[in-house]
Amino acid sequence: TENTDVPIIIIGSGYGGAVSALRLCEAGKKVVMLEMGLNWEKAGIPFSNLLKPGKSSAWLKKKSIAPFMNIFSLTPFTGILDRLDFEHINIWVGRGVGGGSLVNGGMAVTPKESYFREVFPDLDAEKFYSHYFPLVREELKVNVIDEQFLKDCPYYKFTRVGEEEAHKAGFKTMRVPNVYDFKYMEKEFRNEVPRSALNTEVIYGNNYGKNSLDKTYLRKALETGNLEILDLHRVQTIQLNDDKSYTLNVQQIDTSGILIADKVFNCKKLILSAGTMGTLQLLLQSHAENNFPVHEKIGKKWGNNGNFMTGRNWVKPLSGGTGAKQSTIPVGGIDNWDDPEHPFFTEIAPLPMGMDVATALYLLINRVDKKGEVAYNKASQSLTLNWDESNTAKMKENAQYFIRKMNKANGGTRSHLLFNNGFGADICYHPLGGCVLGEATNEYGKLKDHENLYVLDGSLIPGTIGVNPFVTITAIAEYCIENLIKQNEFA
Ligand code: FDA
């Protein structure tokens, strides 16, 4: 077995990992990043679109795993989208150099300040809104669609119809910023450059236009010369050594998932940025198998960020439907957060099926009043999730209220095309929590009961943030790593 010693290891190359890597590398530290997924830029393999799922569409599966309408069989490949199935909820995650930024819709939403203060009462909100949020919006290249283009572009009929209907039903709408380069999209529309968002590319990757982390934080970190990224390296378990350093058992795989080499890495400082589910798996599995110390708060305050999918069909669409051609990048939302009875935010989501299915799709984000808990089952070697219909009851009530109000004003029925009963309570894109900042960790993400271990990813957020989460994950990572470096944790 190959045995390697390095000073600092980061596990995972999503938002938390990419931010940590950049700031440590800028401070002159040598960093090794271990990522189980593939480096797609280096591999030079194109991403597939929604209509033709190929290599990038699923992590080692025989069938595609889009949230609905999966009719495609696949040859197993280390694709960028994975789904973790639990009894009452399925959780989608990104795999590959760039993590969730490769598969996500790029919606870059800063949380409402009042809710941020409620979720993180101990953080200096003023500093976040004056410094960290503006900083990450710049680093992530967040921009907004041009209103005239939105008005004219046939690919955004679904947004225009969705907003008109929302206004008719008495709801307030909002423009949603994104990391997709809207100037590039305008060129796509004029056929000056290859198409991506206008060619049904999104959850299996975007070949152009989207500023995923490999084009922002990770690129900058690599340019320092201090970062080495090892892809197709999956960390299995972690051991704590007597001298308080860590030993990682790592499997290197090939693109069909076959084991190439067992490796051992030793490091003085370890940063877990494997995403909420990945980080919890590493901590709890290592605890079960190696007596790895974990604080009692680990696994607590998990939530789905209030994710609840729903849709509407029109029998005879007055609007003529949402359009056969749809951009994959959402730019509209309905903001009902300040309604005390039914607080929610919903994205007016595209459904680019290549035909007009006369269906409107919505991903609601609700409060999470009842949190879940994550544990580990040694027999099945997998995570268990204490989460059922009782956790999503209020979210369902909000979705029912929303659909009823929209249908009353605009016509239509609950969508049975997309979900069994018209509701997708079990679809989760935003797993958060389980390793909550200031509870399982100190105020900057250093794990309790450890001297050289840090968590920097979505698991720091206690299950809810009220909007799509990556802007917040990135801002919290910036805040934590800045302070950890200041405190000489990596000296
Ligand atoms: P993230 O999950 O990004 O990265 C973790 C990385 O660690 C992955 O690359 C994984 O492969 C790797 N890893 C895990 N275990 C490992 C191990 N044992 N060894 C080595 N590597 C390991 N959010 C938003 O704000 N706007 C949006 O529009 C969307 N849209 C969206 C769509 C879809 C389909 C999904 C699935 C998700 C979104 N999201 C989103 C959510 C967003 O992408 C998500 O919250 C962040 O990517 C989470 O960032 P993290 O840094 O926590 O981890």
Side-chain angles (χ1 to χ4, degrees):
T1 312
E2 197 183 305
N3 204 314
T4 313
D5 288 318
V6 280
I8 306 173
I9 289 183
I10 299 175
I11 305 177
S13 61
Y15 294 90
V19 169
S20 315
L22 174 60
R23 300 309 172 201
L24 285 167
C25 290
E26 282 177 342
K29 309 292 171 198
K30 291 269 177 212
V31 175
V32 169
M33 181 178 262
L34 302 175
E35 166 57 56
M36 66 190 273
L38 179 63
N39 186 337
W40 287 79
E41 201 169 38
K42 215 169 78 190
I45 303 169
F47 295 120
S48 349
N49 66 21
L50 280 174
L51 303 183
K52 217 169 165 251
K55 285 190 165 132
S56 67
S57 63
W59 178 257
L60 301 172
K61 303 238 181 337
K62 290 190 175 143
K63 208 175 153 207
S64 64
I65 47 166
F68 18 75
M69 305 199 186
N70 290 295
I71 47 168
F72 303 95
S73 60
L74 301 168
T75 308
F77 195 87
T78 49
I80 60 172
L81 186 64
D82 200 0
R83 191 185 66 201
L84 313 171
D85 298 346
F86 296 89
E87 200 180 343
H88 296 283
I89 191 166
N90 298 318
I91 301 173
W92 277 262
V93 295
R95 304 237 176 272
V97 173
S101 79
L102 299 174
V103 299
N104 69 34
M107 296 174 73
V109 194
T110 305
K112 285 198 187 249
E113 187 169 339
S114 55
Y115 197 56
F116 180 81
R117 286 178 186 270
E118 185 182 327
V119 173
F120 289 112
D122 297 333
L123 291 181
D124 178 355
E126 238 159 75
K127 179 99 195 257
F128 268 82
Y129 284 81
S130 66
H131 175 65
Y132 294 110
F133 285 127
L135 168 70
V136 308
R137 286 194 295 258
E138 183 167 334
E139 294 285 3
L140 294 167
K141 303 198 171 156
V142 176
N143 68 151
V144 187
I145 194 168
D146 177 79
E147 287 297 320
Q148 194 60 46
F149 177 65
L150 170 58
K151 228 171 131 191
D152 296 339
C153 182
Y155 289 76
Y156 276 108
K157 188 178 177 202
F158 76 95
T159 304
R160 297 193 297 268
V161 169
E163 290 180 348
E164 260 171 52
E165 289 192 330
H167 294 155
K168 234 174 129 187
F171 288 113
K172 198 170 80 189
T173 59
M174 62 174 279
R175 187 64 52 241
V176 179
N178 205 288
V179 298
Y180 197 93
D181 180 347
F182 286 109
K183 287 286 160 245
Y184 185 91
M185 196 191 287
E186 291 183 22
K187 288 188 197 138
E188 280 178 50
F189 182 59
R190 298 194 300 261
N191 281 317
E192 293 165 14
V193 291
R195 288 186 166 195
S196 185
L198 304 189
N199 181 33
T200 79
E201 290 178 3
V202 65
I203 57 174
Y204 309 145
N206 281 91
N207 289 301
Y208 310 96
K210 186 160 84 177
N211 282 305
S212 43
L213 290 168
D214 49 321
K215 303 196 169 55
T216 58
Y217 276 96
L218 290 172
R219 178 172 296 171
K220 266 179 126 173
L222 285 166
E223 280 166 6
T224 65
N226 287 333
L227 174 65
E228 185 183 9
I229 304 177
L230 299 175
D231 67 337
L232 299 176
H233 278 63
R234 180 167 54 197
V235 182
Q236 300 296 111
T237 54
I238 314 166
Q239 271 162 260
L240 173 65
N241 303 318
D242 291 342
D243 68 352
K244 316 266 180 192
S245 67
Y246 297 96
T247 296
L248 312 182
N249 301 304
V250 178
Q251 294 191 335
Q252 185 181 2
I253 56 171
D254 70 11
T255 54
S256 52
I258 290 167
L259 180 67
I260 301 179
D262 277 308
K263 294 187 178 177
V264 172
F265 286 80
N266 305 301
C267 62
K268 182 71 194 158
K269 297 283 174 179
L270 179 59
I271 298 177
L272 301 180
S273 299
T276 296
M277 305 316 288
T279 289
L280 290 172
Q281 167 103 27
L282 282 167
L283 289 170
L284 295 170
Q285 183 171 356
S286 301
H287 175 68
E289 289 177 15
N290 303 334
N291 270 325
F292 189 79
V294 293
H295 190 265
E296 57 176 24
K297 291 276 171 69
I298 288 177
K300 305 257 164 67
K301 292 202 185 172
W302 184 91
N304 69 347
N305 199 26
N307 281 188
F308 199 98
M309 254 202 206
T310 186
R312 295 168 46 235
N313 291 126
W314 301 271
V315 185
K316 277 187 203 149
L318 298 170
S319 55
T322 48
K325 293 178 171 179
Q326 299 189 11
S327 168
T328 55
I329 298 300
V331 295
I334 295 168
D335 177 3
N336 206 50
W337 198 261
D338 295 330
D339 176 347
E341 302 263 307
H342 299 289
F344 64 86
F345 165 81
T346 179
E347 153 190 356
I348 299 171
L351 195 61
M353 306 297 299
M355 56 186 149
D356 200 330
V357 287
T359 298
L361 176 67
Y362 308 95
L363 173 60
L364 270 73
I365 296 178
N366 300 273
R367 302 174 70 100
V368 182
D369 297 325
K370 187 179 173 195
K371 307 256 160 64
E373 196 175 326
V374 180
Y376 183 76
N377 182 319
K378 210 171 168 177
S380 64
Q381 292 191 316
S382 56
L383 293 178
T384 59
L385 195 48
N386 186 355
W387 183 267
D388 59 30
E389 279 96 0
S390 68
N391 298 85
T392 52
K394 178 64 191 170
M395 304 170 197
K396 184 172 180 180
E397 206 187 295
N398 283 350
Q400 271 166 333
Y401 164 82
F402 169 65
I403 294 290
R404 245 187 255 128
K405 215 169 148 180
M406 289 292 273
N407 287 345
K408 205 166 159 211
N410 302 289
T413 59
R414 229 195 274 162
S415 176
H416 293 267
L417 172 78
L418 301 177
F419 317 102
N420 280 342
N421 59 0
F423 295 116
D426 57 347
I427 295 178
C428 174
Y429 286 172
H430 303 163
L432 296 173
C435 209
V436 171
L437 187 66
E439 297 187 21
T441 74
N442 79 356
E443 59 185 324
Y444 303 130
K446 179 172 178 169
L447 257 289
K448 289 189 176 163
D449 299 341
H450 285 266
E451 282 177 35
N452 298 305
L453 183 62
Y454 312 85
V455 166
L456 292 171
D457 62 20
S459 64
L460 293 173
I461 300 176
T464 168
I465 196 60
V467 291
N468 315 61
F470 74 61
V471 166
T472 309
I473 296 171
T474 311
I476 290 193
E478 287 277 16
Y479 160 77
C480 288
I481 197 72
E482 178 188 302
N483 284 289
L484 291 169
I485 292 171
K486 258 192 210 149
Q487 292 191 328
N488 285 323
E489 287 285 338
F490 301 96

